[in-house]
Amino acid sequence: MAKVTPISGFPEWLPDGRIIEQRFLDVIRETFEVHGFSSINTRAVEPIERLGAQGEDADKEIYAVSRLAGGEGDARWGLRFDLTVPLARYVLEHAGKLAFPFRRYQIQEVWRGERPQEGRYREFTQADIDVVDVGELSPHFEAEMPLVIADVFRRFPVGDFVIQVNNRKIASGFYQGIGLEDVAGTLRIVDKLDKIGPEKVAALLVEAGATDEQARQCLALAQIRTPDLGFVEAVRALGVEHAELDQGLEALVAVIRTGMRNAPGTLVADLRIARGLDYYTGTVYETQLIGHEEWGSFCSGGRYDALASDGKTTYPGVGISIGVTRILGLLIGNGLLSASRSTPAAVLVALNDDESRDAAVSIATALRQRGIACEVAPAASRFGKQIRYAERRGIPFVWFPGRDGGSDAVKDIRSGEQLDADAATWSPPEEDLVPQVLRTDG
């Protein structure tokens, strides 16, 4: 047999890591649904031309799929690199059967041509929400997105976080107001600010045709960051006038004001946030963990007015995406999260002898019917060995069936406390019923 070797960029969790991932996914799904979003799944592949049409760098992200059998060797499809492009196709394909505004969430794997490194993967799970409408999309949906994400992150054991919000119209109007015509190109350069710093961004802007003064003004705009509505006065102080700038400021005021009222302390207006993909046209979002800003954003998105169109009808939308694998890879990889155990089982039902397995299975069945996860010991070895098996598995309780009509007993093997118990009535403490996700950084 060939030697088994890992492939970089394709993470596989051990059982305790998978428990953490499932708990995060449960929180995400429950929160999305309580906000009224409906779940969908989409196929893994899309036509190459559709994937490649989403920006000048998009083709670098695509894993092409070829069908070699039957003489069809040319790549016609590519694996999806996000969930927004498939959503656009899904809306066009099923528009006649959907109720608009369409509120959808989607939790699936995507594939991207990344250079694998910490927090960057070739295969990873994303969790998206979007609201899509027909023709026009009310701006209040742009204010709703960060409220959903704030609810999600408040339930994660990740500490403090911040949702950074901007509006592309602010930058677009500002750039036009200072005489820069290549708005998209300027946005892509400014989007690199966190990665390469202001001096290199300024140099790239000048290289792209901006004057030194225009580059300085672009950086001045990007440096504005306020937790309240103070960004409006800061932008006005730069002395630039443009109608699109006014529209962007008005839209961002509405988002930040909603956040101040409904998710206080979690939103900031940060005018350096640009988002690199070309389809964003309004509000854009990025989310960071406070104290781990060097890790970048785990949750981002924005408004897009023309991503989906059949030539007659346009379907504008706004959405935001959580990089589930990215955030977990960094938190687990840096030892900041752990699971209280690596198995769902809270109880191991011990075996008195081989002949008692049927009775042990009956006890386990009674516990399971009451929602208590358990397993039966794999062998009728000495009780000490069965207890050590439970310890290795992280199972907190061992159940000892009664002998000769005697009472059953259950033992907390962490404390050593043992009590008589009845499978029809006994329950573990709430915190032991399911594995817990724990912060380990104090």
Side-chain angles (χ1 to χ4, degrees), residues 170-171 174-175 217-224 235 238 271-272:
I170 294 175
F174 187 89
Y175 299 156
Q217 288 176 297
C218 289
L219 290 175
L221 180 71
Q223 290 169 356
I224 296 172
V235 172
L238 297 178
L271 303 196
R272 83 184 191 285

Side-chain angles (χ1 to χ4, degrees), residues 3 35 81 105 115-116 128 132 135 150-151 204 206 221 233 267 289 292 302 309 336 344 360 376 411 420 424 435-436:
K3 182 180 178 181
H35 281 266
F81 61 81
Y105 81 86
R115 180 174 64 85
D128 287 23
V132 180
D151 281 354
L204 288 176
V206 172
L221 180 71
E233 184 178 348
L267 272 68
L289 298 185
H292 299 287
S309 176
L336 302 180
V376 176
K411 181 174 185 176
D420 289 347
Q436 302 297 306

Side-chain angles (χ1 to χ4, degrees), residues 57 60-61 112-115 117-120 164 187-202 204 219 222 272-277 286 288 293-298 300 326:
D57 294 328
K60 301 176 184 177
E61 306 279 343
R112 192 169 293 180
E114 294 275 10
R115 180 174 64 85
Q117 54 187 301
E118 186 181 46
R120 297 287 183 182
Q164 301 160 137
L187 281 169
R188 282 193 292 271
I189 294 173
V190 173
D191 194 39
K192 300 176 182 179
L193 193 55
D194 282 344
K195 296 179 181 179
I196 65 176
E199 291 185 4
K200 290 183 179 179
V201 166
L204 288 176
L219 290 175
R272 83 184 191 285
I273 303 301
R275 307 298 305 145
L277 291 173
E286 289 191 354
Q288 292 185 338
E293 290 83 359
E294 72 279 5
W295 289 349
S297 177
F298 297 100
S300 56
R326 173 168 163 72

Side-chain angles (χ1 to χ4, degrees), residues 173-174 176-178 235-246:
F174 187 89
Q176 293 176 73
I178 62 174
V235 172
R236 295 302 188 199
L238 297 178
V240 177
E241 298 289 339
H242 194 277
E244 192 172 354
L245 172 62
D246 296 341

Side-chain angles (χ1 to χ4, degrees), residues 244-390:
E244 192 172 354
L245 172 62
D246 296 341
Q247 295 170 8
L249 288 172
E250 181 181 354
L252 187 55
V253 163
V255 174
I256 297 298
R257 181 180 286 129
T258 299
M260 292 170 64
R261 291 171 177 168
N262 298 279
T266 59
L267 272 68
V268 300
D270 191 329
L271 303 196
R272 83 184 191 285
I273 303 301
R275 307 298 305 145
L277 291 173
D278 292 343
Y279 53 63
Y280 292 121
T281 57
T283 305
V284 288
Y285 319 92
E286 289 191 354
T287 305
Q288 292 185 338
L289 298 185
I290 295 175
H292 299 287
E293 290 83 359
E294 72 279 5
W295 289 349
S297 177
F298 297 100
C299 177
S300 56
R303 176 171 179 141
Y304 40 87
D305 284 317
L307 183 65
S309 176
D310 60 8
K312 297 180 180 179
T313 305
T314 298
Y315 299 88
V318 60
I320 197 163
S321 173
I322 301 173
V324 179
T325 306
R326 173 168 163 72
I327 189 171
L328 290 180
L330 287 163
L331 290 169
I332 296 173
N334 285 275
L336 302 180
L337 287 182
S338 65
S340 60
R341 58 182 188 261
S342 60
T343 172
V347 179
L348 176 73
V349 181
L351 293 172
N352 293 326
D353 48 48
D354 288 331
E355 289 71 28
S356 67
R357 181 171 291 276
D358 283 348
V361 170
S362 296
I363 292 169
T365 298
L367 292 170
R368 290 167 183 154
Q369 288 175 342
R370 297 174 48 241
I372 301 170
C374 60
E375 60 177 279
V376 176
S381 51
R382 296 188 305 273
F383 279 158
K385 189 172 183 179
Q386 294 185 59
I387 290 172
R388 286 193 294 275
Y389 171 82

